[in-house]
Amino acid sequence: MRIIGYRPANSWIERQLDERWTRFLTWCAGGGVVVAVVLGTFVAPHQAVVRMRYAIAQLTAEVERLERQERALLLERERLTAVPVLAQQAAALGLAPVPPERIEFLAPNGVLVAMVPPQGNQPSLEEPR
Amino acid sequence: MTPWPSRLRLLVAALALWGLAVGVRLVQVQVLQGPDWEAEAARQREQTVRVEAPRGDIVTRDGRLLAGSLERVAVYANPRKIPSDVRDSLAERLAPLVGMSAAAVKAELAGHSGFFTLARDLDPAVAPRVARLDQRGVGTLRVERREYPHGSFAGPLIGFVDAEGTGQAGIEAFYDRTLSGTPAVYRLLRDGKRSPTPLDLTLEKPGRPGLSLRLTIDSRAQQVLEEELQRTLDEVGAAAAVGVVMAAQSGELLALASLPAYDPGNVGAVPPRVRHNQAVESVFEPGSVFKPFVVAGALAEGVLQPWEQIDCSGGGVQVAGAFIRDHARYGMLPVSEVLAKSSNAGAIRIAHRLAPQRLDETIRRFGFGSPTGVELPAEARGLYRPVAKWSALSRAGLAIGQEISATPLQVARAYAAIANGGLLVTPTLVLETRDSTGQVVTPARVPPPTRVVDERVAAALRDMLEAVVEEGTGRAAAVPGLRVAGKTGTAQKAIAGNYQAGRHIAWFAGFLPLPRPEIVIVVCIDEPQARFWAADVAAPVFGRVAARLVSLLALQPAEGARV
């Protein structure tokens, strides 16, 4: 006889179901749901607020950076177009202030009044005081 | 009922006692000491930071930005709080942020024992990168850099701030509180590493950004004035050149220059004596530009008539044993020619018609001897003795502009009174103040003028001063096509009570266009070198400045103008 395997036949043992285990799992699941609901209700909005605050902080920093940049550019523009600088550039280009004799005024009666140099009003250095 | 075993009872009693002790401690901590612990917790969790308000701008009436601020960052270190074993690696990481070599940072850390500023004037973007180093003993401070983009243009007028950002001179000093604003106080949370986080930023005390000032100064008029004064310094050579352009009716200052000027952004480069605004801080003897006020007093008191002839013969006049010389023997001169020829003898004879008290009242009414009230610090009141301390020579001295010293601004203000019909105005520099949103907070403060002489007296003086420019010593101040009035003045400089040979002050004070003058211009050249007569030095500057302002300020010849 050749024995090819052995399997005890304990079919007479009746397995008993431990119903407390199922109850425990049910309670765990229920607890999990309650915790999830609580988290969902209270913590999630808080997290969203925290996220939003981080975003606001970042945007505020960006706005401040841009404002600083704008300010720096404004000052740079002012430096480049400073009145003495413009005057120097105008002189270099050969531009000169308009002499008064080349200016004409429109009088209230509609006549153009020219500013002609008056006779005998040239500076004299002979009688200084 | 089964009685408890004695050991169990002992255990229960012990537990009850422990519970009671815990309960009592809880009440003590939570109720009695609760507020203190709450505050302690808040102190550990929160931080209060003071955020300085940005300093306001200074702009001209035509919108040119003369002074503005830029936010910068300084990196500080405290080697005492930095463990020696991390210094090398810290120096490596810090070096690129502060723009130094690692060796230099290491040397700086080794060379200091306590708190010191490692680098200043850095881009604010550096601050979060330094914070990310997370190294105790290293941090950043927000600082503000004051910028003066126009350099030395209007420098003495604007003034400057010190390293702390506090105004030290000029408008920066006078309006320091207005410009600096009030700092805000924020409360913020700190994280587990006690580093501040930008979350839960709560404003504890609101601040106010500094207000901006819009000046009455016109940048073009200022440029013209500075250019012409500089030209005189270059051509003639002088210790200083000062000029004032003022609106005759309102007292608004359109230009105020004091050369040599300095760059407010680089004050350390000039000696302290250059840091003065000589238009308001220095006093000079007015010389002959003072003569019109003596004539004004005599006309107002009725002791002189405009058509009278004054004896100017003799080449001078004897007063209290002293002979005061004239420039020539003029003979009898009408009052207008006394001014046109600037006769000392004529002016002294007119002054002697006035009682000392009356002359003193006239001088004080024109604002001499008291500050003008302009919005600038350290304004000189001038040197002028009370009448009780006058000598027998005082009236004669005052008649020719001696025994008195005035600032160029005081002279401009007094000439404005003649120009506008007898009203003494208060010179003003600020048109309005604006908040950070551009809204006007405070409009111009214009104190009401006070009458110092009758309109008829002022008109008579205007005519006389016009004659000075038309046919007298002020011909170089003439502007083609416009009626101009003014007066030259060449004063010797008194040093330690004695007049110094070869040291003069050349003045020209005047206004245009007549018959209704709009602007007053005063030019004062201190110690001119190549030439010293006011007619040669100061009057031409007036003429050139006035001619260039004609088109800029749209000064129009009114009826009666020579066209």
Side-chain angles (χ1 to χ4, degrees), chain B residues 256-446:
Chain B
L256 189 85
S258 169
L259 299 184
Y262 61 87
D263 180 355
N266 191 17
V267 182
V270 294
R273 64 182 170 77
V274 178
R275 296 177 200 165
H276 294 290
N277 184 345
Q278 303 214 47
V280 293
E281 293 175 35
S282 297
V283 293
F284 305 96
E285 276 201 359
S288 296
V289 288
F290 197 72
K291 285 173 182 165
F293 306 109
V294 175
V295 174
L299 290 172
E301 288 298 315
V303 296
L304 178 75
Q305 300 304 323
W307 56 85
E308 267 188 68
Q309 297 278 321
I310 308 296
D311 180 11
C312 301
S313 57
V317 62
Q318 189 82 28
V319 182
F323 186 74
I324 300 173
R325 281 181 299 173
D326 220 334
H327 312 289
R329 291 171 183 272
Y330 294 115
M332 296 299 285
L333 289 178
V335 181
S336 64
E337 279 198 44
V338 168
L339 289 179
K341 295 186 186 302
S342 203
S343 164
N344 288 342
I348 290 168
R349 287 207 164 91
I350 291 169
H352 276 263
R353 292 188 183 187
L354 279 165
Q357 283 76 12
R358 298 282 89 82
L359 181 58
D360 173 64
E361 277 171 21
T362 304
I363 291 168
R364 289 191 186 282
R365 272 206 308 269
F366 274 101
F368 294 101
S370 52
T372 63
V374 72
E375 305 101 317
L376 285 171
E379 188 191 3
R381 59 190 311 123
L383 300 174
Y384 177 58
R385 283 187 295 188
V387 69
K389 291 187 176 176
W390 285 12
S391 68
L393 270 171
S394 289
R395 272 186 294 173
L398 286 165
I400 57 174
Q402 294 181 347
E403 294 203 20
I404 186 169
S405 290
T407 65
L409 186 61
Q410 281 178 320
V411 173
R413 182 196 196 195
Y415 268 79
I418 300 173
N420 67 22
L423 296 171
L424 192 71
V425 294
T426 302
T428 54
L429 268 170
V430 175
L431 265 185
E432 61 200 16
T433 53
R434 289 171 182 260
D435 64 15
S436 54
T437 63
Q439 294 296 308
V440 175
V441 178
T442 320
R445 171 188 62 90
V446 187

Side-chain angles (χ1 to χ4, degrees), chain B residues 108-160:
Chain B
E108 287 284 337
L109 292 174
H112 292 85
S113 56
F115 180 96
F116 74 100
T117 305
L118 179 64
R120 57 185 80 233
D121 201 19
L122 300 173
D123 192 285
V126 166
R129 296 169 67 189
V130 172
R132 277 200 291 275
L133 294 177
D134 193 24
Q135 176 60 55
R136 194 160 170 260
V138 176
T140 54
L141 292 171
R142 178 186 169 274
V143 290
E144 209 172 47
R145 190 176 73 197
R146 196 68 167 156
E147 295 269 330
Y148 301 96
H150 294 256
S152 61
F153 177 72
L157 172 68
I158 307 164
F160 58 92

Side-chain angles (χ1 to χ4, degrees), chain B residues 8 29 65 74 104 115 127 164 175 222 225 304 336 338 360 386 392 399 435 440 468 494 499 503 506 508 517 532:
Chain B
L8 188 62
V29 170
L65 183 65
F115 180 96
E164 309 298 321
Y175 279 102
Q222 180 76 21
L225 185 62
L304 178 75
S336 64
V338 168
D360 173 64
D435 64 15
V440 175
V468 174
Y499 286 105
R503 298 176 79 173
F508 193 90
F532 67 86

Side-chain angles (χ1 to χ4, degrees), chain A residues 53 71 78-79 81 105, chain B residues 57 64 147 200 473 555:
Chain A
R53 282 182 181 170
R71 183 94 186 132
E78 200 65 41
R79 196 174 294 114
T81 61
F105 289 104
Chain B
D57 294 338
R64 302 310 304 259
E147 295 269 330
D200 282 333
T473 58
L555 302 178

Side-chain angles (χ1 to χ4, degrees), chain A residues 1-125:
Chain A
M1 187 178 77
R2 182 170 161 253
I3 298 171
I4 56 165
Y6 175 75
R7 187 162 50 188
N10 53 356
S11 56
W12 67 87
I13 296 174
E14 190 181 327
R15 280 189 177 178
Q16 287 190 331
L17 191 63
D18 187 351
E19 288 183 356
R20 288 176 305 174
W21 181 244
T22 314
R23 209 162 46 235
F24 174 73
L25 286 179
T26 310
W27 273 107
C28 279
V33 170
V34 169
V35 168
V37 168
V38 169
L39 281 177
T41 311
F42 296 103
V43 180
H46 180 69
Q47 286 296 94
V49 168
V50 171
R51 265 199 301 277
M52 200 182 294
R53 282 182 181 170
Y54 268 110
I56 289 170
Q58 277 179 341
L59 287 173
T60 307
E62 182 64 9
V63 167
E64 284 173 1
R65 189 187 67 78
L66 290 171
E67 280 176 352
R68 279 197 302 269
Q69 203 171 0
E70 184 195 17
R71 183 94 186 132
L73 289 170
L74 179 77
L75 285 161
E76 185 61 24
R77 188 188 68 183
E78 200 65 41
R79 196 174 294 114
L80 292 172
T81 61
V83 181
V85 174
L86 291 181
Q88 272 180 358
Q89 289 173 348
L93 288 169
L95 301 173
V98 181
E101 56 268 28
R102 289 186 58 192
I103 298 171
E104 290 189 343
F105 289 104
L106 187 64
N109 58 6
V111 178
L112 272 178
V113 180
M115 299 181 68
V116 183
Q119 294 297 313
N121 199 22
Q122 294 308 304
S124 163
L125 304 182

